[in-house]
Amino acid sequence: MSTFSQALINGIALGGMYLILVLGFSIIWGVMGVINLAHGEFVMVGAYLAWVANEWLGSDPFLVVLPVFFILAAFGFVLQRILVNRVIDRPHLVSLLVMFGVSIILQNAMKLIFSADFRRNDTVLDGAWSLSERVSIPVTKFMVLLVALAVLVALHQFLQRTRTGKSIRAAAQNREAARIVGIDINKVYAITFALCLGMTGVAGALISPILSVQPFQGPPLTLKAFAITAMSGLGSVKGALGGAMVLGIIEAMLALYVDKIGTNLAVVASFVILVAALVLRPQGLFGGLRPVDATAS
Amino acid sequence: MTTGNGQQRSGTAQVITRTSDRVRPLLEVQDIYAGYYVGQDVLKGVTIKVHEGEIVCVIGPNGAGKSTVFKAVYGIIPVRSGRVLCDGRDITNIPPQQALQTAGITIVPQLRSVFAQMTVHENLELGMFLSRDKDRIRERIEYVYDLFPRLKERSKQEAGTMSGGEQRMLEIGRSLMWEPRLVLMDEPSAGLAPIITKQIFEAIRRLNAEIGLTVLMIEQNARQGLEASDRGYVIEVGRQTYEGRAEELLADDNVRRAFLGG
Ligand SMILES: Nc1ncnc2c1ncn2[C@@H]1O[C@H](COP(=O)(O)OP(=O)(O)O)[C@@H](O)[C@H]1O
Ligand SMILES: [Mg+2]
């Protein structure tokens, strides 16, 4: 029983990490119809920023989330204006390939700057809290979960209550109608992209003490974001929570009950979930902004 | 300058024949050319006038370019030649935000345009997206609820879960939020059951009578559309081929044969 409890706790903690990881990816897809294949690379950039801040300034990754958010958000705003905007009206495949190109560029740029060495980032929020002799809470992941939940709540309130948030939801639900009530679609997309890249950078900073930081860490993270989004529904904020928890708990249980192949199997699990979700329930388990197979507009 | 609602302008000496010849139109589409691709004009010289307080109906076969006229007026596609005037002011190629803000034109498009996963209330709010005056928005929502009590009952319901007719009502209600001078309605009866169609046309007539709403609409349902209107235009392959008072068009042999089923 206690090993099961431990796996459940690990799974929920992992789910927190996946939650902050998936939000930006899911919302860009849901609102703009762009599948951000460079998502994992933006996570990686956020992770490097946090690592550099720790190396040079001795800042804890939990303390740099705001600066990392704004740096990535600014990057996102510019990238949307000069690049994504130009392909957004084209078929899905075009934006997919463009973002794939961006991912390759970022991987190699980071490799040139930082080399391919694996880096470890540290945080003072480390170690484990024992609940009993054999059950404990991993502190770092638990703190990531708390931050992720805070971001989730803030994001939900922003989308539901603010004028800008409502314009983002409107554009996601019906672009033509949004345009005719006077919403500036390009502005909505720029804000969405900036916001989402900011959150994705934060995910990177928070993950940096958990996963080693290296230029090629992105693709499996993109895949996981993909799987969770397919499960949870595009741009669904509440769904993201459900999807992230499901994947986290599945992975933790696999690690517990299946020996030795833990990590590889986790990626396979993502793939299985992704395929099953796409085939069986394209609108997601939790109902998103639109079905996964909706067209770009 | 326009005095609206069929009143005569004082100090005009000339003999007055009928409204449309005398007062400056609210909307004037002058010989426009427009299309979706460079060098392929869908509209090849369309001219339409709408006076304040009028209901004007555009009919014509599928693919003739009727919806394209609306898109050109509303700045969704560029006008390559010709002019669009509102109250005598040139509004050719203004973006949608300005069509709303400076010309007071709103549009109910042909395809379903509710925000399906938002409530009726939120949909109406978004009709005034360009205003930041919360009291005014609340006031206008109450106003629309008064016109369509059905929407008030459904206030908290997600728009996408309502019937087709109710969604149409919501779209029309949303287009009224901005207190528009002119509403462009693209096939308001499309896809609706005959009884609902009748209600929609009644609602349009009622709005016209009660609040003096000016409407330019497109209708597939040519007979009912014309019957609800003051004047009409027929558009075929990118040009208007007939125009006149609704009852004239309804009585015209050619129009009857081509568009009214004999
Ligand atoms: N978004 C579009 N892109 C390209 N061509 C279009 C588009 N919409 C309409 N068309 C073309 O323009 C012509 C007129 O269409 P439309 O104005 O929608 O006709 P209707 O009179 O039925 O409203 C048609 O030949 C149609 O194929
Ligand atoms: Mg049409």
mmCIF file of all heavy atoms in Angstrom, chain B residues 183-225:
data_model
loop_
_atom_site.group_PDB
_atom_site.id
_atom_site.type_symbol
_atom_site.label_atom_id
_atom_site.label_comp_id
_atom_site.label_asym_id
_atom_site.label_seq_id
_atom_site.Cartn_x
_atom_site.Cartn_y
_atom_site.Cartn_z
ATOM 1 N N VAL B 183 -27.552 47.583 -40.438
ATOM 2 C CA VAL B 183 -27.135 46.203 -40.220
ATOM 3 C C VAL B 183 -27.159 45.466 -41.557
ATOM 4 O O VAL B 183 -28.146 45.527 -42.289
ATOM 5 C CB VAL B 183 -28.044 45.466 -39.216
ATOM 6 C CG1 VAL B 183 -27.557 44.035 -39.012
ATOM 7 C CG2 VAL B 183 -28.082 46.187 -37.883
ATOM 8 N N LEU B 184 -26.053 44.804 -41.867
ATOM 9 C CA LEU B 184 -25.994 43.963 -43.056
ATOM 10 C C LEU B 184 -26.318 42.539 -42.614
ATOM 11 O O LEU B 184 -25.637 41.998 -41.752
ATOM 12 C CB LEU B 184 -24.586 43.999 -43.659
ATOM 13 C CG LEU B 184 -23.963 45.372 -43.926
ATOM 14 C CD1 LEU B 184 -22.527 45.212 -44.439
ATOM 15 C CD2 LEU B 184 -24.795 46.143 -44.937
ATOM 16 N N MET B 185 -27.366 41.943 -43.175
ATOM 17 C CA MET B 185 -27.710 40.573 -42.780
ATOM 18 C C MET B 185 -27.595 39.650 -43.977
ATOM 19 O O MET B 185 -28.293 39.809 -44.963
ATOM 20 C CB MET B 185 -29.142 40.517 -42.233
ATOM 21 C CG MET B 185 -29.339 41.313 -40.964
ATOM 22 S SD MET B 185 -30.951 40.937 -40.251
ATOM 23 C CE MET B 185 -31.054 42.267 -39.039
ATOM 24 N N ASP B 186 -26.706 38.681 -43.851
ATOM 25 C CA ASP B 186 -26.468 37.765 -44.955
ATOM 26 C C ASP B 186 -27.301 36.493 -44.757
ATOM 27 O O ASP B 186 -26.980 35.666 -43.930
ATOM 28 C CB ASP B 186 -24.979 37.436 -45.043
ATOM 29 C CG ASP B 186 -24.610 36.827 -46.383
ATOM 30 O OD1 ASP B 186 -25.531 36.355 -47.081
ATOM 31 O OD2 ASP B 186 -23.420 36.833 -46.729
ATOM 32 N N GLU B 187 -28.352 36.378 -45.519
ATOM 33 C CA GLU B 187 -29.268 35.231 -45.461
ATOM 34 C C GLU B 187 -29.723 34.917 -44.032
ATOM 35 O O GLU B 187 -29.445 33.844 -43.501
ATOM 36 C CB GLU B 187 -28.617 34.007 -46.107
ATOM 37 C CG GLU B 187 -28.247 34.290 -47.548
ATOM 38 C CD GLU B 187 -28.019 33.011 -48.358
ATOM 39 O OE1 GLU B 187 -28.469 31.939 -47.922
ATOM 40 O OE2 GLU B 187 -27.411 33.120 -49.425
ATOM 41 N N PRO B 188 -30.453 35.847 -43.435
ATOM 42 C CA PRO B 188 -30.910 35.611 -42.059
ATOM 43 C C PRO B 188 -31.778 34.360 -41.915
ATOM 44 O O PRO B 188 -31.865 33.805 -40.830
ATOM 45 C CB PRO B 188 -31.716 36.879 -41.712
ATOM 46 C CG PRO B 188 -31.987 37.558 -42.999
ATOM 47 C CD PRO B 188 -30.886 37.163 -43.932
ATOM 48 N N SER B 189 -32.379 33.899 -43.000
ATOM 49 C CA SER B 189 -33.270 32.735 -42.871
ATOM 50 C C SER B 189 -32.586 31.421 -43.224
ATOM 51 O O SER B 189 -33.201 30.365 -43.139
ATOM 52 C CB SER B 189 -34.497 32.922 -43.761
ATOM 53 O OG SER B 189 -34.165 32.605 -45.099
ATOM 54 N N ALA B 190 -31.293 31.495 -43.576
ATOM 55 C CA ALA B 190 -30.623 30.283 -44.074
ATOM 56 C C ALA B 190 -30.648 29.153 -43.053
ATOM 57 O O ALA B 190 -30.339 29.348 -41.886
ATOM 58 C CB ALA B 190 -29.181 30.600 -44.452
ATOM 59 N N GLY B 191 -31.049 27.988 -43.499
ATOM 60 C CA GLY B 191 -30.985 26.802 -42.660
ATOM 61 C C GLY B 191 -32.030 26.739 -41.566
ATOM 62 O O GLY B 191 -31.914 25.925 -40.659
ATOM 63 N N LEU B 192 -33.021 27.603 -41.623
ATOM 64 C CA LEU B 192 -34.032 27.599 -40.559
ATOM 65 C C LEU B 192 -35.351 27.015 -41.062
ATOM 66 O O LEU B 192 -35.686 27.110 -42.241
ATOM 67 C CB LEU B 192 -34.264 29.017 -40.047
ATOM 68 C CG LEU B 192 -33.034 29.725 -39.465
ATOM 69 C CD1 LEU B 192 -33.392 31.130 -39.034
ATOM 70 C CD2 LEU B 192 -32.461 28.938 -38.303
ATOM 71 N N ALA B 193 -36.104 26.442 -40.156
ATOM 72 C CA ALA B 193 -37.414 25.899 -40.497
ATOM 73 C C ALA B 193 -38.346 27.047 -40.918
ATOM 74 O O ALA B 193 -38.172 28.177 -40.463
ATOM 75 C CB ALA B 193 -38.001 25.168 -39.295
ATOM 76 N N PRO B 194 -39.314 26.768 -41.814
ATOM 77 C CA PRO B 194 -40.194 27.827 -42.337
ATOM 78 C C PRO B 194 -40.826 28.686 -41.243
ATOM 79 O O PRO B 194 -40.881 29.919 -41.373
ATOM 80 C CB PRO B 194 -41.262 27.043 -43.086
ATOM 81 C CG PRO B 194 -40.593 25.777 -43.495
ATOM 82 C CD PRO B 194 -39.591 25.468 -42.435
ATOM 83 N N ILE B 195 -41.247 28.069 -40.168
ATOM 84 C CA ILE B 195 -41.921 28.847 -39.137
ATOM 85 C C ILE B 195 -40.952 29.807 -38.447
ATOM 86 O O ILE B 195 -41.287 30.950 -38.147
ATOM 87 C CB ILE B 195 -42.616 27.921 -38.103
ATOM 88 C CG1 ILE B 195 -43.210 28.733 -36.955
ATOM 89 C CG2 ILE B 195 -41.676 26.905 -37.517
ATOM 90 C CD1 ILE B 195 -44.597 28.271 -36.610
ATOM 91 N N ILE B 196 -39.694 29.338 -38.279
ATOM 92 C CA ILE B 196 -38.665 30.191 -37.666
ATOM 93 C C ILE B 196 -38.298 31.318 -38.627
ATOM 94 O O ILE B 196 -38.123 32.472 -38.235
ATOM 95 C CB ILE B 196 -37.405 29.374 -37.317
ATOM 96 C CG1 ILE B 196 -37.770 28.097 -36.570
ATOM 97 C CG2 ILE B 196 -36.427 30.209 -36.511
ATOM 98 C CD1 ILE B 196 -38.231 28.282 -35.162
ATOM 99 N N THR B 197 -38.197 30.964 -39.926
ATOM 100 C CA THR B 197 -37.913 31.965 -40.942
ATOM 101 C C THR B 197 -38.915 33.117 -40.840
ATOM 102 O O THR B 197 -38.545 34.295 -40.866
ATOM 103 C CB THR B 197 -38.023 31.333 -42.345
ATOM 104 O OG1 THR B 197 -37.094 30.262 -42.423
ATOM 105 C CG2 THR B 197 -37.735 32.342 -43.421
ATOM 106 N N LYS B 198 -40.165 32.734 -40.705
ATOM 107 C CA LYS B 198 -41.218 33.726 -40.618
ATOM 108 C C LYS B 198 -40.980 34.636 -39.405
ATOM 109 O O LYS B 198 -41.101 35.862 -39.493
ATOM 110 C CB LYS B 198 -42.578 33.007 -40.504
ATOM 111 C CG LYS B 198 -43.733 33.833 -40.957
ATOM 112 C CD LYS B 198 -44.918 32.929 -41.345
ATOM 113 C CE LYS B 198 -46.218 33.698 -41.202
ATOM 114 N NZ LYS B 198 -46.829 33.580 -39.875
ATOM 115 N N GLN B 199 -40.618 34.017 -38.295
ATOM 116 C CA GLN B 199 -40.363 34.802 -37.081
ATOM 117 C C GLN B 199 -39.203 35.767 -37.256
ATOM 118 O O GLN B 199 -39.239 36.901 -36.784
ATOM 119 C CB GLN B 199 -40.055 33.871 -35.897
ATOM 120 C CG GLN B 199 -41.279 33.140 -35.368
ATOM 121 C CD GLN B 199 -40.898 32.082 -34.332
ATOM 122 O OE1 GLN B 199 -39.760 32.036 -33.870
ATOM 123 N NE2 GLN B 199 -41.850 31.241 -33.984
ATOM 124 N N ILE B 200 -38.167 35.281 -37.961
ATOM 125 C CA ILE B 200 -36.995 36.140 -38.155
ATOM 126 C C ILE B 200 -37.393 37.359 -38.992
ATOM 127 O O ILE B 200 -37.052 38.500 -38.657
ATOM 128 C CB ILE B 200 -35.853 35.362 -38.846
ATOM 129 C CG1 ILE B 200 -35.344 34.247 -37.935
ATOM 130 C CG2 ILE B 200 -34.717 36.292 -39.262
ATOM 131 C CD1 ILE B 200 -34.438 34.680 -36.812
ATOM 132 N N PHE B 201 -38.137 37.124 -40.094
ATOM 133 C CA PHE B 201 -38.552 38.263 -40.923
ATOM 134 C C PHE B 201 -39.460 39.202 -40.139
ATOM 135 O O PHE B 201 -39.372 40.430 -40.275
ATOM 136 C CB PHE B 201 -39.249 37.788 -42.193
ATOM 137 C CG PHE B 201 -38.300 37.243 -43.218
ATOM 138 C CD1 PHE B 201 -38.524 36.015 -43.827
ATOM 139 C CD2 PHE B 201 -37.171 37.962 -43.577
ATOM 140 C CE1 PHE B 201 -37.633 35.516 -44.763
ATOM 141 C CE2 PHE B 201 -36.268 37.462 -44.513
ATOM 142 C CZ PHE B 201 -36.510 36.235 -45.104
ATOM 143 N N GLU B 202 -40.318 38.623 -39.314
ATOM 144 C CA GLU B 202 -41.169 39.469 -38.480
ATOM 145 C C GLU B 202 -40.339 40.322 -37.540
ATOM 146 O O GLU B 202 -40.608 41.511 -37.351
ATOM 147 C CB GLU B 202 -42.138 38.593 -37.655
ATOM 148 C CG GLU B 202 -43.428 38.270 -38.398
ATOM 149 C CD GLU B 202 -44.206 37.141 -37.728
ATOM 150 O OE1 GLU B 202 -43.942 36.863 -36.531
ATOM 151 O OE2 GLU B 202 -45.046 36.534 -38.398
ATOM 152 N N ALA B 203 -39.310 39.675 -36.970
ATOM 153 C CA ALA B 203 -38.441 40.414 -36.047
ATOM 154 C C ALA B 203 -37.756 41.572 -36.762
ATOM 155 O O ALA B 203 -37.660 42.690 -36.232
ATOM 156 C CB ALA B 203 -37.404 39.472 -35.435
ATOM 157 N N ILE B 204 -37.310 41.322 -38.002
ATOM 158 C CA ILE B 204 -36.632 42.376 -38.754
ATOM 159 C C ILE B 204 -37.589 43.537 -39.027
ATOM 160 O O ILE B 204 -37.253 44.704 -38.839
ATOM 161 C CB ILE B 204 -36.046 41.813 -40.067
ATOM 162 C CG1 ILE B 204 -34.905 40.825 -39.751
ATOM 163 C CG2 ILE B 204 -35.527 42.934 -40.963
ATOM 164 C CD1 ILE B 204 -34.410 40.047 -40.944
ATOM 165 N N ARG B 205 -38.812 43.192 -39.447
ATOM 166 C CA ARG B 205 -39.824 44.232 -39.708
ATOM 167 C C ARG B 205 -40.139 45.023 -38.442
ATOM 168 O O ARG B 205 -40.304 46.239 -38.452
ATOM 169 C CB ARG B 205 -41.116 43.595 -40.239
ATOM 170 C CG ARG B 205 -41.050 43.219 -41.695
ATOM 171 C CD ARG B 205 -42.213 43.828 -42.479
ATOM 172 N NE ARG B 205 -42.127 45.274 -42.565
ATOM 173 C CZ ARG B 205 -41.777 45.937 -43.656
ATOM 174 N NH1 ARG B 205 -41.505 45.308 -44.757
ATOM 175 N NH2 ARG B 205 -41.741 47.253 -43.654
ATOM 176 N N ARG B 206 -40.233 44.276 -37.342
ATOM 177 C CA ARG B 206 -40.572 44.913 -36.076
ATOM 178 C C ARG B 206 -39.464 45.890 -35.660
ATOM 179 O O ARG B 206 -39.740 47.021 -35.259
ATOM 180 C CB ARG B 206 -40.760 43.826 -35.001
ATOM 181 C CG ARG B 206 -41.205 44.322 -33.652
ATOM 182 C CD ARG B 206 -41.721 43.167 -32.801
ATOM 183 N NE ARG B 206 -40.712 42.124 -32.609
ATOM 184 C CZ ARG B 206 -39.822 42.143 -31.613
ATOM 185 N NH1 ARG B 206 -39.810 43.115 -30.743
ATOM 186 N NH2 ARG B 206 -38.953 41.157 -31.493
ATOM 187 N N LEU B 207 -38.209 45.450 -35.787
ATOM 188 C CA LEU B 207 -37.092 46.329 -35.443
ATOM 189 C C LEU B 207 -37.114 47.573 -36.313
ATOM 190 O O LEU B 207 -36.849 48.687 -35.864
ATOM 191 C CB LEU B 207 -35.756 45.594 -35.615
ATOM 192 C CG LEU B 207 -35.508 44.445 -34.641
ATOM 193 C CD1 LEU B 207 -34.296 43.636 -35.072
ATOM 194 C CD2 LEU B 207 -35.304 44.984 -33.233
ATOM 195 N N ASN B 208 -37.458 47.367 -37.585
ATOM 196 C CA ASN B 208 -37.528 48.483 -38.519
ATOM 197 C C ASN B 208 -38.615 49.470 -38.097
ATOM 198 O O ASN B 208 -38.417 50.683 -38.105
ATOM 199 C CB ASN B 208 -37.793 47.944 -39.928
ATOM 200 C CG ASN B 208 -37.942 49.047 -40.951
ATOM 201 O OD1 ASN B 208 -39.037 49.388 -41.366
ATOM 202 N ND2 ASN B 208 -36.812 49.637 -41.341
ATOM 203 N N ALA B 209 -39.758 48.930 -37.692
ATOM 204 C CA ALA B 209 -40.864 49.799 -37.303
ATOM 205 C C ALA B 209 -40.614 50.454 -35.937
ATOM 206 O O ALA B 209 -40.850 51.647 -35.754
ATOM 207 C CB ALA B 209 -42.167 48.999 -37.263
ATOM 208 N N GLU B 210 -40.097 49.667 -34.992
ATOM 209 C CA GLU B 210 -39.976 50.168 -33.621
ATOM 210 C C GLU B 210 -38.785 51.081 -33.416
ATOM 211 O O GLU B 210 -38.882 52.121 -32.762
ATOM 212 C CB GLU B 210 -39.874 48.994 -32.630
ATOM 213 C CG GLU B 210 -41.209 48.324 -32.368
ATOM 214 C CD GLU B 210 -41.071 47.110 -31.467
ATOM 215 O OE1 GLU B 210 -39.997 46.921 -30.857
ATOM 216 O OE2 GLU B 210 -42.047 46.349 -31.374
ATOM 217 N N ILE B 211 -37.630 50.675 -33.935
ATOM 218 C CA ILE B 211 -36.435 51.485 -33.671
ATOM 219 C C ILE B 211 -35.858 52.082 -34.942
ATOM 220 O O ILE B 211 -34.762 52.621 -34.946
ATOM 221 C CB ILE B 211 -35.350 50.670 -32.923
ATOM 222 C CG1 ILE B 211 -34.882 49.472 -33.758
ATOM 223 C CG2 ILE B 211 -35.866 50.183 -31.571
ATOM 224 C CD1 ILE B 211 -33.705 48.737 -33.144
ATOM 225 N N GLY B 212 -36.612 51.993 -36.036
ATOM 226 C CA GLY B 212 -36.154 52.588 -37.282
ATOM 227 C C GLY B 212 -34.886 51.955 -37.826
ATOM 228 O O GLY B 212 -34.099 52.609 -38.509
ATOM 229 N N LEU B 213 -34.682 50.670 -37.511
ATOM 230 C CA LEU B 213 -33.456 50.001 -37.947
ATOM 231 C C LEU B 213 -33.384 49.920 -39.477
ATOM 232 O O LEU B 213 -34.343 49.547 -40.137
ATOM 233 C CB LEU B 213 -33.413 48.583 -37.361
ATOM 234 C CG LEU B 213 -32.132 47.808 -37.631
ATOM 235 C CD1 LEU B 213 -30.977 48.420 -36.852
ATOM 236 C CD2 LEU B 213 -32.306 46.342 -37.279
ATOM 237 N N THR B 214 -32.237 50.303 -40.004
ATOM 238 C CA THR B 214 -32.001 50.192 -41.435
ATOM 239 C C THR B 214 -31.310 48.867 -41.712
ATOM 240 O O THR B 214 -30.335 48.528 -41.054
ATOM 241 C CB THR B 214 -31.101 51.347 -41.914
ATOM 242 O OG1 THR B 214 -31.633 52.571 -41.430
ATOM 243 C CG2 THR B 214 -31.012 51.374 -43.417
ATOM 244 N N VAL B 215 -31.841 48.116 -42.673
ATOM 245 C CA VAL B 215 -31.315 46.771 -42.928
ATOM 246 C C VAL B 215 -31.038 46.579 -44.416
ATOM 247 O O VAL B 215 -31.882 46.884 -45.258
ATOM 248 C CB VAL B 215 -32.321 45.687 -42.470
ATOM 249 C CG1 VAL B 215 -31.795 44.295 -42.795
ATOM 250 C CG2 VAL B 215 -32.625 45.807 -40.981
ATOM 251 N N LEU B 216 -29.844 46.091 -44.703
ATOM 252 C CA LEU B 216 -29.558 45.593 -46.044
ATOM 253 C C LEU B 216 -29.370 44.094 -45.895
ATOM 254 O O LEU B 216 -28.470 43.655 -45.191
ATOM 255 C CB LEU B 216 -28.290 46.241 -46.604
ATOM 256 C CG LEU B 216 -27.806 45.708 -47.962
ATOM 257 C CD1 LEU B 216 -28.852 45.891 -49.045
ATOM 258 C CD2 LEU B 216 -26.500 46.388 -48.379
ATOM 259 N N MET B 217 -30.289 43.313 -46.513
ATOM 260 C CA MET B 217 -30.143 41.865 -46.325
ATOM 261 C C MET B 217 -30.039 41.140 -47.650
ATOM 262 O O MET B 217 -30.481 41.609 -48.694
ATOM 263 C CB MET B 217 -31.297 41.308 -45.488
ATOM 264 C CG MET B 217 -32.652 41.333 -46.145
ATOM 265 S SD MET B 217 -33.814 40.460 -45.063
ATOM 266 C CE MET B 217 -35.366 41.088 -45.657
ATOM 267 N N ILE B 218 -29.421 39.974 -47.555
ATOM 268 C CA ILE B 218 -29.342 39.071 -48.687
ATOM 269 C C ILE B 218 -30.303 37.940 -48.392
ATOM 270 O O ILE B 218 -30.384 37.496 -47.260
ATOM 271 C CB ILE B 218 -27.904 38.506 -48.804
ATOM 272 C CG1 ILE B 218 -26.923 39.620 -49.166
ATOM 273 C CG2 ILE B 218 -27.852 37.372 -49.820
ATOM 274 C CD1 ILE B 218 -25.470 39.194 -49.076
ATOM 275 N N GLU B 219 -31.051 37.503 -49.384
ATOM 276 C CA GLU B 219 -31.949 36.369 -49.137
ATOM 277 C C GLU B 219 -31.979 35.377 -50.291
ATOM 278 O O GLU B 219 -32.095 35.739 -51.443
ATOM 279 C CB GLU B 219 -33.374 36.867 -48.852
ATOM 280 C CG GLU B 219 -33.767 36.810 -47.390
ATOM 281 C CD GLU B 219 -33.451 35.470 -46.730
ATOM 282 O OE1 GLU B 219 -33.678 34.422 -47.363
ATOM 283 O OE2 GLU B 219 -32.961 35.463 -45.586
ATOM 284 N N GLN B 220 -31.860 34.095 -49.931
ATOM 285 C CA GLN B 220 -32.084 33.015 -50.884
ATOM 286 C C GLN B 220 -33.575 32.830 -51.088
ATOM 287 O O GLN B 220 -34.059 32.485 -52.149
ATOM 288 C CB GLN B 220 -31.531 31.703 -50.316
ATOM 289 C CG GLN B 220 -30.109 31.425 -50.682
ATOM 290 C CD GLN B 220 -29.896 31.429 -52.171
ATOM 291 O OE1 GLN B 220 -30.629 30.777 -52.921
ATOM 292 N NE2 GLN B 220 -28.920 32.181 -52.622
ATOM 293 N N ASN B 221 -34.241 33.063 -49.979
ATOM 294 C CA ASN B 221 -35.679 32.929 -49.901
ATOM 295 C C ASN B 221 -36.284 34.201 -50.495
ATOM 296 O O ASN B 221 -36.773 35.071 -49.784
ATOM 297 C CB ASN B 221 -35.998 32.850 -48.416
ATOM 298 C CG ASN B 221 -37.209 32.047 -48.157
ATOM 299 O OD1 ASN B 221 -38.141 32.085 -48.957
ATOM 300 N ND2 ASN B 221 -37.211 31.343 -47.052
ATOM 301 N N ALA B 222 -36.212 34.314 -51.862
ATOM 302 C CA ALA B 222 -36.401 35.617 -52.505
ATOM 303 C C ALA B 222 -37.783 36.219 -52.238
ATOM 304 O O ALA B 222 -37.902 37.407 -51.940
ATOM 305 C CB ALA B 222 -36.169 35.478 -54.007
ATOM 306 N N ARG B 223 -38.804 35.395 -52.329
ATOM 307 C CA ARG B 223 -40.143 35.948 -52.182
ATOM 308 C C ARG B 223 -40.357 36.532 -50.793
ATOM 309 O O ARG B 223 -40.719 37.698 -50.641
ATOM 310 C CB ARG B 223 -41.208 34.869 -52.463
ATOM 311 C CG ARG B 223 -42.632 35.376 -52.307
ATOM 312 C CD ARG B 223 -43.642 34.292 -52.645
ATOM 313 N NE ARG B 223 -43.536 33.842 -54.030
ATOM 314 C CZ ARG B 223 -44.076 34.486 -55.066
ATOM 315 N NH1 ARG B 223 -44.748 35.601 -54.886
ATOM 316 N NH2 ARG B 223 -43.946 34.023 -56.287
ATOM 317 N N GLN B 224 -40.082 35.729 -49.769
ATOM 318 C CA GLN B 224 -40.287 36.225 -48.407
ATOM 319 C C GLN B 224 -39.374 37.409 -48.096
ATOM 320 O O GLN B 224 -39.781 38.343 -47.414
ATOM 321 C CB GLN B 224 -40.033 35.111 -47.392
ATOM 322 C CG GLN B 224 -41.248 34.230 -47.189
ATOM 323 C CD GLN B 224 -40.953 33.157 -46.168
ATOM 324 O OE1 GLN B 224 -40.153 32.266 -46.433
ATOM 325 N NE2 GLN B 224 -41.583 33.243 -45.019
ATOM 326 N N GLY B 225 -38.154 37.333 -48.615
ATOM 327 C CA GLY B 225 -37.213 38.431 -48.388
ATOM 328 C C GLY B 225 -37.744 39.727 -48.960
ATOM 329 O O GLY B 225 -37.748 40.769 -48.288
#
